[in-house]
Amino acid sequence: MRDFDYARAETRADATSHSGAGAQIIAGGTNLLDLMKLEVMSPDKVVDINRLDLHKITPTDEGGLRIGALVSNSDVAAHETVRRDYEVLSRALLSGATGQLRNKATTGGNLLQRTRCPYFYDTAMPCNKRVPGTGCQAKEGFNRILAILGTSEHCIATHPSDMAVAMMALGAVVEIENAEGETRNVPLDDFYCLPGDRPDVESVLEPGDLITAVVLPEPLDGTHIYRKVRDRSSYAFALVSVAAVIHVVDGRIATAALAFGGLAPKPWRNAEVEQALIGNAPSDDLFGKAADILLADAKGYGANDFKIPLARRTLKAVLRQATETAQ
Amino acid sequence: MTLKTTLTINGKDRVVDADPRTSLLDALRHHLDLTGTKKGCDHGQCGACTVIVNGRRINSCLTLACMHDGDEITTIEGLGTPEQMSAMQDAFVRHDGFQCGYCTAGQICSATAMLDEARDGWPSNVSDTLDGDVTLSEAEISERMSGNLCRCSAYPGIVNAIRDVAEGGSK
């Protein structure tokens, strides 16, 4: 690990003023320290924000829930209101990592975890995300776990989070404070950037920005499902995952919220898929049409071609399960 | 540059004066001579380094010692001694919950804190419902312990040891 200056932030202003270019905020550190040991990331300065008062989950005036950026993944998953009203989020969190990691990993950090693309991790390899302009060998290489949607010629990495997929389906908003002390609220769908020609830029965060919370809107009615398909049944990243909240009223799908993991450089949401379902009676035909829309622009890179049929089947299975329980 | 960090380890205040890069694991092993905690992968994948910080199990390899100033840390040395083992240590011995023993300190720290999580009603990925009514079946224990690998594959003994303590209600 390269040497760095360590700064402990006692206030939010401390954190934002310290965290300019070249600095890295550390919260749980479970992903950052792993990457620093491998020298995939080598910040000049590490700003420890664990003393900040961002450890609470509180109800909002709008009937939603504000999750402080430092609340651990375990505490979110086990929180009574999350378990009762946002089951898909508890389920997504519990499907990820291990007990030890969930105890340390935080809400803000989980949003910002980096891809597990093997070329990003291997400093002997070119990678446009790690060193912009060096190229991407994943496209013709070991890409079994990589993306089929939202990719560019410069990067086909996937976002690894389960939590963020559920939050995407729930319509979460990221609360960000900048060095001037101003707060802005960014819907999660606008928070992440697609790789385009700058795969190193993964979110709209600017130097000096601090994620202070994730805000969930009012709970969604319906059946909550998080289905994760992976190589082994525990402690593995998703090959394909689907977060779904589907509400059936009088035999028709009244509302549908869907987001997908393992398919794209960001948690993937496509409103057209949901629109195709809403107002219709559940049927295998309808679910197939929804999958057609989701995968219309899907592109495999060889070893990950299987994700296209796998995503189709997983989506259909989730829709079947969600609508059968509701009827 | 070094940083002074005060850690309460197994009930005693200990001061570490170390490079900020020092992981909590290396602080325990190399600065404080507490070598019961083991380094396996050093990347949070094997769980051999599991310790209990402020009541919760974590991977001590994936955190910096300087981030834990003032924290309460329990290591395997704090759970029991060869003469006076904790219920979990005793159960691991009785159920053959190890072969080479390298992962064992991490397994025992992890299992000890895992029982508290279950007692607090935390669900797991294999729980049918999220209502907090946790019965520690074999499937539940396996899922909750998936962050601790055992290359000797003593898993049946490990699961039996944990079940024994969970059902005995003592710890």
Side-chain angles (χ1 to χ4, degrees), chain A residues 1-4 6 8 27 30 33-34 37-38 48 50-51 74 78 83 87 90-91 94-95 98 100-101 103-104 230 234-235, chain B residues 3 21 42-45 50 57-59 61-64 66-67 69 110 117 121-123 125 127-128 130-132 143 146-148:
Chain A
M1 193 187 296
R2 299 287 176 92
D3 200 7
F4 56 81
Y6 171 84
R8 186 179 295 148
T30 53
L33 290 170
D34 186 24
K37 287 180 186 194
L38 298 165
D48 179 355
N50 285 289
R51 306 292 154 129
S74 293
R83 277 194 266 161
E87 182 175 349
S90 273
R91 288 285 180 193
L94 293 170
S95 79
T98 65
Q100 290 96 317
L101 289 168
N103 281 345
K104 198 83 180 83
R230 47 183 162 173
S234 189
Y235 196 16
Chain B
L3 281 175
R21 285 173 287 186
D42 208 25
H43 286 278
Q45 296 174 4
T50 303
R57 54 180 171 156
I58 66 164
N59 301 109
C61 73
L62 282 188
T63 191
L64 300 171
C66 59
M67 291 161 65
D69 197 51
S110 185
E117 295 171 3
W122 290 15
N125 189 49
S127 303
D128 288 335
L130 300 181
D131 61 13
E143 167 58 25
S146 73
N148 291 86

Short mmCIF file of all heavy atoms in Angstrom, two decimals, chain A residues 1-4 6 8 27 30 33-34 37-38 48 50-51 74 78 83 87 90-91 94-95 98 100-101 103-104 230 234-235, chain B residues 3 21 42-45 50 57-59 61-64 66-67 69 110 117 121-123 125 127-128 130-132 143 146-148:
data_model
loop_
_atom_site.label_atom_id
_atom_site.label_comp_id
_atom_site.label_asym_id
_atom_site.label_seq_id
_atom_site.Cartn_x
_atom_site.Cartn_y
_atom_site.Cartn_z
N MET A 1 0.84 -1.20 0.00
CA MET A 1 0.00 0.00 0.00
C MET A 1 0.88 1.25 0.00
O MET A 1 1.86 1.31 0.73
CB MET A 1 -0.89 -0.02 1.26
CG MET A 1 -2.02 0.99 1.24
SD MET A 1 -2.93 1.09 2.81
CE MET A 1 -3.65 -0.55 2.96
N ARG A 2 0.51 2.21 -0.86
CA ARG A 2 1.26 3.47 -0.89
C ARG A 2 0.96 4.30 0.36
O ARG A 2 -0.13 4.23 0.90
CB ARG A 2 0.88 4.29 -2.13
CG ARG A 2 1.14 3.63 -3.45
CD ARG A 2 2.64 3.60 -3.76
NE ARG A 2 2.87 2.85 -4.99
CZ ARG A 2 2.91 3.43 -6.21
NH1 ARG A 2 2.74 4.73 -6.32
NH2 ARG A 2 3.12 2.69 -7.27
N ASP A 3 1.94 5.11 0.73
CA ASP A 3 1.78 5.98 1.89
C ASP A 3 0.70 7.04 1.62
O ASP A 3 0.49 7.42 0.47
CB ASP A 3 3.12 6.67 2.17
CG ASP A 3 3.19 7.19 3.60
OD1 ASP A 3 2.27 6.89 4.38
OD2 ASP A 3 4.16 7.89 3.92
N PHE A 4 0.05 7.47 2.67
CA PHE A 4 -0.97 8.53 2.52
C PHE A 4 -1.02 9.33 3.81
O PHE A 4 -0.57 8.87 4.86
CB PHE A 4 -2.35 7.92 2.20
CG PHE A 4 -2.81 6.89 3.22
CD1 PHE A 4 -3.40 7.28 4.41
CD2 PHE A 4 -2.65 5.53 2.97
CE1 PHE A 4 -3.81 6.35 5.36
CE2 PHE A 4 -3.06 4.58 3.91
CZ PHE A 4 -3.64 4.99 5.10
N TYR A 6 -3.30 10.73 6.74
CA TYR A 6 -4.58 10.35 7.35
C TYR A 6 -5.17 11.55 8.07
O TYR A 6 -4.47 12.23 8.83
CB TYR A 6 -4.35 9.22 8.35
CG TYR A 6 -5.55 8.86 9.20
CD1 TYR A 6 -6.53 8.00 8.74
CD2 TYR A 6 -5.69 9.38 10.49
CE1 TYR A 6 -7.61 7.67 9.52
CE2 TYR A 6 -6.78 9.05 11.28
CZ TYR A 6 -7.73 8.19 10.80
OH TYR A 6 -8.80 7.86 11.58
N ARG A 8 -8.69 12.77 10.27
CA ARG A 8 -9.96 12.35 10.86
C ARG A 8 -10.89 13.56 10.88
O ARG A 8 -10.58 14.57 11.50
CB ARG A 8 -9.75 11.82 12.26
CG ARG A 8 -11.02 11.24 12.87
CD ARG A 8 -10.76 10.70 14.26
NE ARG A 8 -9.86 9.55 14.22
CZ ARG A 8 -9.00 9.26 15.22
NH1 ARG A 8 -8.93 10.02 16.28
NH2 ARG A 8 -8.23 8.20 15.11
N ALA A 27 -14.98 5.25 4.88
CA ALA A 27 -16.07 5.01 5.85
C ALA A 27 -15.84 3.61 6.40
O ALA A 27 -15.03 3.42 7.29
CB ALA A 27 -17.41 5.19 5.17
N THR A 30 -14.08 -1.36 3.47
CA THR A 30 -13.92 -2.77 3.07
C THR A 30 -13.53 -2.92 1.60
O THR A 30 -12.84 -3.87 1.24
CB THR A 30 -15.21 -3.59 3.33
OG1 THR A 30 -16.30 -2.92 2.71
CG2 THR A 30 -15.47 -3.72 4.82
N LEU A 33 -9.84 -0.27 1.10
CA LEU A 33 -8.56 -0.79 1.60
C LEU A 33 -8.10 -1.99 0.79
O LEU A 33 -6.90 -2.17 0.55
CB LEU A 33 -8.66 -1.13 3.09
CG LEU A 33 -8.77 0.12 3.99
CD1 LEU A 33 -9.12 -0.28 5.41
CD2 LEU A 33 -7.47 0.92 3.98
N ASP A 34 -9.05 -2.80 0.35
CA ASP A 34 -8.72 -3.91 -0.54
C ASP A 34 -8.03 -3.37 -1.79
O ASP A 34 -6.96 -3.84 -2.19
CB ASP A 34 -10.04 -4.62 -0.90
CG ASP A 34 -9.83 -5.90 -1.70
OD1 ASP A 34 -8.75 -6.48 -1.61
OD2 ASP A 34 -10.78 -6.31 -2.41
N LYS A 37 -4.53 -1.90 -1.01
CA LYS A 37 -3.49 -2.93 -0.82
C LYS A 37 -2.95 -3.39 -2.17
O LYS A 37 -1.77 -3.69 -2.30
CB LYS A 37 -4.07 -4.14 -0.07
CG LYS A 37 -4.31 -3.88 1.40
CD LYS A 37 -4.87 -5.12 2.07
CE LYS A 37 -5.24 -4.79 3.51
NZ LYS A 37 -5.48 -5.99 4.32
N LEU A 38 -3.84 -3.48 -3.15
CA LEU A 38 -3.43 -3.93 -4.49
C LEU A 38 -2.88 -2.78 -5.33
O LEU A 38 -2.47 -2.99 -6.47
CB LEU A 38 -4.64 -4.56 -5.20
CG LEU A 38 -5.23 -5.79 -4.53
CD1 LEU A 38 -6.61 -6.11 -5.10
CD2 LEU A 38 -4.29 -6.99 -4.70
N ASP A 48 -11.04 10.09 7.14
CA ASP A 48 -11.88 9.17 7.93
C ASP A 48 -13.11 9.93 8.42
O ASP A 48 -13.00 10.87 9.21
CB ASP A 48 -11.04 8.67 9.11
CG ASP A 48 -11.80 7.71 10.02
OD1 ASP A 48 -13.00 7.50 9.80
OD2 ASP A 48 -11.16 7.19 10.96
N ASN A 50 -15.75 8.45 9.98
CA ASN A 50 -16.55 7.62 10.89
C ASN A 50 -17.07 8.34 12.14
O ASN A 50 -17.99 7.85 12.80
CB ASN A 50 -15.77 6.38 11.28
CG ASN A 50 -15.74 5.36 10.15
OD1 ASN A 50 -16.77 4.76 9.85
ND2 ASN A 50 -14.61 5.21 9.48
N ARG A 51 -16.46 9.51 12.48
CA ARG A 51 -16.94 10.24 13.67
C ARG A 51 -18.13 11.14 13.35
O ARG A 51 -18.70 11.75 14.27
CB ARG A 51 -15.82 11.11 14.26
CG ARG A 51 -14.54 10.36 14.58
CD ARG A 51 -14.77 9.41 15.73
NE ARG A 51 -13.82 8.31 15.66
CZ ARG A 51 -13.06 7.93 16.67
NH1 ARG A 51 -13.13 8.54 17.83
NH2 ARG A 51 -12.24 6.91 16.52
N SER A 74 -25.55 -4.02 7.63
CA SER A 74 -26.28 -4.90 8.56
C SER A 74 -27.42 -4.16 9.24
O SER A 74 -28.52 -4.69 9.37
CB SER A 74 -25.35 -5.40 9.68
OG SER A 74 -24.37 -6.23 9.18
N ALA A 78 -31.41 -4.99 8.96
CA ALA A 78 -32.13 -5.46 10.16
C ALA A 78 -33.10 -4.42 10.70
O ALA A 78 -33.87 -4.73 11.62
CB ALA A 78 -31.11 -5.83 11.25
N ARG A 83 -37.29 -3.71 7.12
CA ARG A 83 -37.78 -5.08 6.97
C ARG A 83 -39.27 -5.12 6.65
O ARG A 83 -39.73 -5.94 5.88
CB ARG A 83 -37.56 -5.85 8.28
CG ARG A 83 -36.16 -6.41 8.41
CD ARG A 83 -36.13 -7.41 9.52
NE ARG A 83 -35.71 -6.84 10.78
CZ ARG A 83 -35.95 -7.39 11.96
NH1 ARG A 83 -36.62 -8.52 12.04
NH2 ARG A 83 -35.52 -6.82 13.06
N GLU A 87 -38.96 -4.36 2.08
CA GLU A 87 -38.40 -5.72 2.16
C GLU A 87 -37.36 -5.98 1.08
O GLU A 87 -36.35 -6.66 1.32
CB GLU A 87 -39.54 -6.74 2.07
CG GLU A 87 -39.03 -8.16 2.20
CD GLU A 87 -40.14 -9.21 2.23
OE1 GLU A 87 -41.32 -8.85 2.36
OE2 GLU A 87 -39.79 -10.40 2.12
N SER A 90 -33.95 -4.95 2.31
CA SER A 90 -33.37 -5.90 3.28
C SER A 90 -32.86 -7.14 2.55
O SER A 90 -31.74 -7.61 2.79
CB SER A 90 -34.42 -6.36 4.30
OG SER A 90 -34.48 -5.48 5.38
N ARG A 91 -33.69 -7.66 1.66
CA ARG A 91 -33.33 -8.89 0.94
C ARG A 91 -32.09 -8.69 0.09
O ARG A 91 -31.22 -9.56 0.03
CB ARG A 91 -34.50 -9.33 0.05
CG ARG A 91 -35.68 -9.89 0.83
CD ARG A 91 -35.37 -11.29 1.33
NE ARG A 91 -36.48 -11.87 2.09
CZ ARG A 91 -36.34 -12.97 2.83
NH1 ARG A 91 -35.18 -13.59 2.91
NH2 ARG A 91 -37.36 -13.45 3.50
N LEU A 94 -29.02 -8.51 2.38
CA LEU A 94 -28.68 -9.81 2.98
C LEU A 94 -28.10 -10.78 1.94
O LEU A 94 -27.41 -11.73 2.30
CB LEU A 94 -29.93 -10.42 3.63
CG LEU A 94 -30.45 -9.67 4.86
CD1 LEU A 94 -31.81 -10.22 5.27
CD2 LEU A 94 -29.46 -9.74 6.01
N SER A 95 -28.35 -10.52 0.68
CA SER A 95 -27.81 -11.41 -0.36
C SER A 95 -26.36 -11.07 -0.70
O SER A 95 -25.71 -11.80 -1.44
CB SER A 95 -28.65 -11.31 -1.64
OG SER A 95 -28.33 -10.14 -2.36
N THR A 98 -20.73 -10.81 3.31
CA THR A 98 -20.78 -11.72 4.45
C THR A 98 -21.19 -10.92 5.69
O THR A 98 -21.21 -9.69 5.66
CB THR A 98 -19.38 -12.31 4.74
OG1 THR A 98 -18.51 -11.22 5.14
CG2 THR A 98 -18.80 -12.99 3.53
N GLN A 100 -19.51 -10.32 8.37
CA GLN A 100 -18.43 -9.42 8.79
C GLN A 100 -18.38 -8.17 7.91
O GLN A 100 -18.19 -7.06 8.39
CB GLN A 100 -17.08 -10.13 8.71
CG GLN A 100 -16.87 -11.22 9.76
CD GLN A 100 -17.20 -12.59 9.23
OE1 GLN A 100 -18.20 -12.79 8.54
NE2 GLN A 100 -16.37 -13.57 9.54
N LEU A 101 -18.51 -8.37 6.60
CA LEU A 101 -18.42 -7.22 5.68
C LEU A 101 -19.64 -6.32 5.82
O LEU A 101 -19.51 -5.10 5.82
CB LEU A 101 -18.29 -7.71 4.23
CG LEU A 101 -16.93 -8.35 3.89
CD1 LEU A 101 -17.01 -9.06 2.54
CD2 LEU A 101 -15.82 -7.32 3.87
N ASN A 103 -21.32 -5.79 8.43
CA ASN A 103 -21.21 -5.04 9.69
C ASN A 103 -20.34 -3.80 9.52
O ASN A 103 -20.48 -2.83 10.26
CB ASN A 103 -20.60 -5.91 10.78
CG ASN A 103 -21.61 -6.86 11.39
OD1 ASN A 103 -22.82 -6.69 11.21
ND2 ASN A 103 -21.14 -7.86 12.12
N LYS A 104 -19.42 -3.82 8.59
CA LYS A 104 -18.47 -2.72 8.43
C LYS A 104 -18.86 -1.81 7.28
O LYS A 104 -18.70 -0.59 7.36
CB LYS A 104 -17.07 -3.31 8.18
CG LYS A 104 -15.95 -2.33 8.43
CD LYS A 104 -15.60 -2.29 9.91
CE LYS A 104 -14.48 -1.32 10.20
NZ LYS A 104 -14.93 0.07 10.34
N ARG A 230 -26.23 -16.38 -9.05
CA ARG A 230 -24.78 -16.28 -8.88
C ARG A 230 -24.16 -17.67 -8.94
O ARG A 230 -24.85 -18.68 -8.94
CB ARG A 230 -24.44 -15.58 -7.57
CG ARG A 230 -25.23 -16.11 -6.38
CD ARG A 230 -24.91 -15.33 -5.12
NE ARG A 230 -25.91 -15.49 -4.09
CZ ARG A 230 -25.79 -15.03 -2.86
NH1 ARG A 230 -24.70 -14.39 -2.49
NH2 ARG A 230 -26.73 -15.20 -1.97
N SER A 234 -23.78 -18.38 -1.62
CA SER A 234 -23.49 -17.33 -0.65
C SER A 234 -22.17 -16.65 -0.99
O SER A 234 -21.29 -17.27 -1.59
CB SER A 234 -23.41 -17.92 0.77
OG SER A 234 -23.35 -16.88 1.73
N TYR A 235 -22.04 -15.41 -0.58
CA TYR A 235 -20.81 -14.64 -0.74
C TYR A 235 -20.29 -14.70 -2.17
O TYR A 235 -19.18 -15.17 -2.44
CB TYR A 235 -19.73 -15.15 0.25
CG TYR A 235 -18.57 -14.19 0.43
CD1 TYR A 235 -18.66 -12.86 0.03
CD2 TYR A 235 -17.37 -14.61 1.01
CE1 TYR A 235 -17.60 -11.99 0.19
CE2 TYR A 235 -16.30 -13.75 1.17
CZ TYR A 235 -16.43 -12.44 0.75
OH TYR A 235 -15.36 -11.58 0.92
N LEU B 3 0.97 7.27 13.99
CA LEU B 3 -0.20 7.80 14.68
C LEU B 3 -0.40 7.00 15.97
O LEU B 3 -0.25 5.78 15.98
CB LEU B 3 -1.45 7.59 13.83
CG LEU B 3 -1.72 8.54 12.67
CD1 LEU B 3 -2.94 8.05 11.91
CD2 LEU B 3 -1.95 9.96 13.19
N ARG B 21 -1.02 3.18 7.72
CA ARG B 21 -1.39 2.06 6.85
C ARG B 21 -1.63 0.77 7.62
O ARG B 21 -2.12 -0.21 7.06
CB ARG B 21 -0.28 1.79 5.83
CG ARG B 21 -0.24 2.81 4.72
CD ARG B 21 0.96 2.63 3.83
NE ARG B 21 2.20 3.05 4.48
CZ ARG B 21 3.38 3.11 3.89
NH1 ARG B 21 3.49 2.76 2.63
NH2 ARG B 21 4.44 3.52 4.54
N ASP B 42 -5.93 -11.69 3.82
CA ASP B 42 -5.68 -10.25 3.99
C ASP B 42 -6.56 -9.40 3.06
O ASP B 42 -6.25 -8.24 2.80
CB ASP B 42 -4.19 -9.92 3.75
CG ASP B 42 -3.74 -8.68 4.54
OD1 ASP B 42 -4.36 -8.38 5.58
OD2 ASP B 42 -2.78 -8.02 4.11
N HIS B 43 -7.64 -9.98 2.53
CA HIS B 43 -8.55 -9.23 1.66
C HIS B 43 -10.03 -9.43 2.02
O HIS B 43 -10.90 -9.23 1.17
CB HIS B 43 -8.32 -9.62 0.19
CG HIS B 43 -7.05 -9.04 -0.35
ND1 HIS B 43 -6.97 -7.74 -0.82
CD2 HIS B 43 -5.81 -9.54 -0.46
CE1 HIS B 43 -5.73 -7.49 -1.21
NE2 HIS B 43 -4.99 -8.56 -0.99
N GLY B 44 -10.31 -9.89 3.22
CA GLY B 44 -11.71 -9.99 3.63
C GLY B 44 -12.46 -11.16 3.02
O GLY B 44 -13.68 -11.18 3.05
N GLN B 45 -11.75 -12.12 2.48
CA GLN B 45 -12.45 -13.22 1.82
C GLN B 45 -12.52 -14.48 2.67
O GLN B 45 -13.40 -15.31 2.45
CB GLN B 45 -11.77 -13.54 0.48
CG GLN B 45 -11.88 -12.36 -0.48
CD GLN B 45 -11.09 -12.55 -1.76
OE1 GLN B 45 -10.51 -13.60 -1.99
NE2 GLN B 45 -11.08 -11.53 -2.60
N THR B 50 -11.22 -12.49 11.81
CA THR B 50 -12.42 -11.93 12.43
C THR B 50 -12.20 -11.60 13.91
O THR B 50 -11.72 -12.44 14.68
CB THR B 50 -13.60 -12.91 12.31
OG1 THR B 50 -13.81 -13.21 10.93
CG2 THR B 50 -14.88 -12.32 12.91
N ARG B 57 -18.92 -8.44 14.80
CA ARG B 57 -17.78 -9.11 14.14
C ARG B 57 -17.41 -8.36 12.85
O ARG B 57 -18.29 -7.98 12.08
CB ARG B 57 -18.11 -10.57 13.84
CG ARG B 57 -19.39 -10.73 13.03
CD ARG B 57 -19.72 -12.18 12.73
NE ARG B 57 -21.06 -12.27 12.16
CZ ARG B 57 -21.49 -13.24 11.38
NH1 ARG B 57 -20.69 -14.25 11.09
NH2 ARG B 57 -22.71 -13.26 10.91
N ILE B 58 -16.14 -8.18 12.64
CA ILE B 58 -15.64 -7.58 11.40
C ILE B 58 -14.35 -8.29 10.98
O ILE B 58 -13.74 -9.01 11.76
CB ILE B 58 -15.37 -6.06 11.52
CG1 ILE B 58 -14.22 -5.78 12.49
CG2 ILE B 58 -16.63 -5.30 11.94
CD1 ILE B 58 -13.66 -4.37 12.38
N ASN B 59 -13.93 -8.03 9.73
CA ASN B 59 -12.63 -8.51 9.25
C ASN B 59 -11.58 -7.49 9.68
O ASN B 59 -11.58 -6.37 9.18
CB ASN B 59 -12.62 -8.62 7.73
CG ASN B 59 -13.70 -9.54 7.18
OD1 ASN B 59 -14.66 -9.09 6.57
ND2 ASN B 59 -13.54 -10.83 7.40
N CYS B 61 -8.57 -7.33 8.89
CA CYS B 61 -7.62 -7.02 7.82
C CYS B 61 -8.10 -5.88 6.95
O CYS B 61 -7.31 -5.25 6.26
CB CYS B 61 -7.38 -8.26 6.95
SG CYS B 61 -8.77 -8.69 5.87
N LEU B 62 -9.41 -5.60 6.95
CA LEU B 62 -9.96 -4.59 6.05
C LEU B 62 -10.32 -3.31 6.78
O LEU B 62 -11.27 -2.61 6.40
CB LEU B 62 -11.19 -5.13 5.30
CG LEU B 62 -10.91 -6.05 4.13
CD1 LEU B 62 -12.20 -6.36 3.38
CD2 LEU B 62 -9.89 -5.46 3.16
N THR B 63 -9.59 -3.01 7.83
CA THR B 63 -9.82 -1.74 8.51
C THR B 63 -8.49 -1.29 9.08
O THR B 63 -7.61 -2.10 9.37
CB THR B 63 -10.91 -1.90 9.60
OG1 THR B 63 -11.30 -0.62 10.06
CG2 THR B 63 -10.44 -2.77 10.76
N LEU B 64 -8.33 0.02 9.20
CA LEU B 64 -7.08 0.58 9.72
C LEU B 64 -7.17 0.70 11.23
O LEU B 64 -8.21 1.11 11.76
CB LEU B 64 -6.81 1.96 9.10
CG LEU B 64 -6.69 2.00 7.58
CD1 LEU B 64 -6.64 3.45 7.09
CD2 LEU B 64 -5.45 1.23 7.10
N CYS B 66 -5.94 2.93 13.06
CA CYS B 66 -6.17 4.33 13.46
C CYS B 66 -7.64 4.74 13.35
O CYS B 66 -8.04 5.75 13.93
CB CYS B 66 -5.28 5.28 12.65
SG CYS B 66 -5.52 5.19 10.88
N MET B 67 -8.46 3.95 12.64
CA MET B 67 -9.89 4.26 12.56
C MET B 67 -10.63 3.82 13.82
O MET B 67 -11.82 4.08 13.96
CB MET B 67 -10.52 3.55 11.35
CG MET B 67 -10.06 4.08 10.00
SD MET B 67 -10.37 2.91 8.65
CE MET B 67 -12.16 2.83 8.64
N ASP B 69 -9.73 4.34 17.20
CA ASP B 69 -9.36 5.00 18.45
C ASP B 69 -10.56 5.00 19.41
O ASP B 69 -11.65 5.45 19.05
CB ASP B 69 -8.93 6.45 18.15
CG ASP B 69 -8.16 7.06 19.30
OD1 ASP B 69 -7.20 6.42 19.76
OD2 ASP B 69 -8.54 8.16 19.74
N SER B 110 -16.31 -15.17 15.08
CA SER B 110 -17.44 -14.94 14.18
C SER B 110 -18.71 -15.60 14.74
O SER B 110 -19.77 -14.97 14.80
CB SER B 110 -17.09 -15.51 12.80
OG SER B 110 -18.09 -15.22 11.86
N GLU B 117 -26.19 -11.62 16.89
CA GLU B 117 -26.99 -11.08 15.78
C GLU B 117 -28.32 -11.82 15.67
O GLU B 117 -29.37 -11.21 15.48
CB GLU B 117 -26.21 -11.22 14.45
CG GLU B 117 -24.93 -10.39 14.41
CD GLU B 117 -24.05 -10.69 13.19
OE1 GLU B 117 -24.45 -11.52 12.33
OE2 GLU B 117 -22.96 -10.10 13.09
N GLY B 121 -32.48 -10.79 16.45
CA GLY B 121 -33.53 -10.93 15.45
C GLY B 121 -33.12 -10.56 14.04
O GLY B 121 -33.97 -10.35 13.18
N TRP B 122 -31.82 -10.50 13.79
CA TRP B 122 -31.38 -10.18 12.42
C TRP B 122 -31.71 -11.34 11.50
O TRP B 122 -31.29 -12.48 11.75
CB TRP B 122 -29.87 -9.94 12.38
CG TRP B 122 -29.40 -8.70 13.05
CD1 TRP B 122 -30.10 -7.90 13.91
CD2 TRP B 122 -28.10 -8.09 12.91
NE1 TRP B 122 -29.31 -6.84 14.31
CE2 TRP B 122 -28.10 -6.93 13.72
CE3 TRP B 122 -26.96 -8.41 12.19
CZ2 TRP B 122 -26.99 -6.10 13.82
CZ3 TRP B 122 -25.85 -7.59 12.29
CH2 TRP B 122 -25.87 -6.44 13.09
N PRO B 123 -32.40 -11.08 10.40
CA PRO B 123 -32.65 -12.15 9.43
C PRO B 123 -31.40 -12.42 8.59
O PRO B 123 -30.43 -11.67 8.64
CB PRO B 123 -33.77 -11.59 8.56
CG PRO B 123 -33.66 -10.11 8.68
CD PRO B 123 -32.99 -9.80 9.99
N ASN B 125 -30.05 -14.23 4.54
CA ASN B 125 -30.49 -14.45 3.16
C ASN B 125 -31.35 -15.71 3.02
O ASN B 125 -32.11 -15.82 2.06
CB ASN B 125 -29.26 -14.55 2.25
CG ASN B 125 -29.62 -14.55 0.79
OD1 ASN B 125 -30.40 -13.70 0.35
ND2 ASN B 125 -29.10 -15.49 0.04
N SER B 127 -33.48 -16.78 5.44
CA SER B 127 -34.66 -16.73 6.31
C SER B 127 -35.92 -16.62 5.45
O SER B 127 -35.97 -15.81 4.52
CB SER B 127 -34.58 -15.51 7.24
OG SER B 127 -33.39 -15.54 8.00
N ASP B 128 -36.94 -17.42 5.79
CA ASP B 128 -38.19 -17.38 5.02
C ASP B 128 -38.88 -16.04 5.17
O ASP B 128 -39.44 -15.50 4.23
CB ASP B 128 -39.15 -18.50 5.49
CG ASP B 128 -38.65 -19.86 5.04
OD1 ASP B 128 -37.92 -19.91 4.03
OD2 ASP B 128 -38.97 -20.86 5.70
N LEU B 130 -38.84 -12.04 7.29
CA LEU B 130 -37.94 -11.05 7.90
C LEU B 130 -38.46 -10.62 9.26
O LEU B 130 -38.08 -9.58 9.78
CB LEU B 130 -37.82 -9.82 6.98
CG LEU B 130 -37.28 -10.06 5.56
CD1 LEU B 130 -37.19 -8.74 4.79
CD2 LEU B 130 -35.90 -10.72 5.60
N ASP B 131 -39.33 -11.45 9.87
CA ASP B 131 -40.00 -10.99 11.08
C ASP B 131 -39.15 -11.09 12.35
O ASP B 131 -39.60 -10.73 13.44
CB ASP B 131 -41.34 -11.71 11.27
CG ASP B 131 -41.16 -13.22 11.42
OD1 ASP B 131 -40.01 -13.67 11.62
OD2 ASP B 131 -42.17 -13.94 11.32
N GLY B 132 -37.92 -11.60 12.21
CA GLY B 132 -37.03 -11.57 13.37
C GLY B 132 -37.08 -12.81 14.23
O GLY B 132 -36.38 -12.91 15.23
N GLU B 143 -25.22 -20.11 6.14
CA GLU B 143 -25.31 -18.80 5.49
C GLU B 143 -24.65 -17.72 6.35
O GLU B 143 -23.86 -16.92 5.87
CB GLU B 143 -26.78 -18.47 5.22
CG GLU B 143 -27.07 -17.02 4.84
CD GLU B 143 -26.32 -16.53 3.61
OE1 GLU B 143 -25.96 -17.36 2.75
OE2 GLU B 143 -26.09 -15.30 3.50
N SER B 146 -20.84 -17.78 6.27
CA SER B 146 -20.21 -17.92 4.95
C SER B 146 -19.00 -17.02 4.78
O SER B 146 -18.25 -17.16 3.81
CB SER B 146 -21.23 -17.67 3.83
OG SER B 146 -21.53 -16.30 3.72
N GLY B 147 -18.78 -16.12 5.72
CA GLY B 147 -17.57 -15.30 5.66
C GLY B 147 -16.36 -15.94 6.32
O GLY B 147 -15.30 -15.31 6.45
N ASN B 148 -16.50 -17.18 6.77
CA ASN B 148 -15.39 -17.90 7.39
C ASN B 148 -15.13 -19.20 6.64
O ASN B 148 -15.94 -20.13 6.69
CB ASN B 148 -15.70 -18.22 8.86
CG ASN B 148 -15.71 -16.96 9.70
OD1 ASN B 148 -16.75 -16.29 9.80
ND2 ASN B 148 -14.59 -16.61 10.29
#
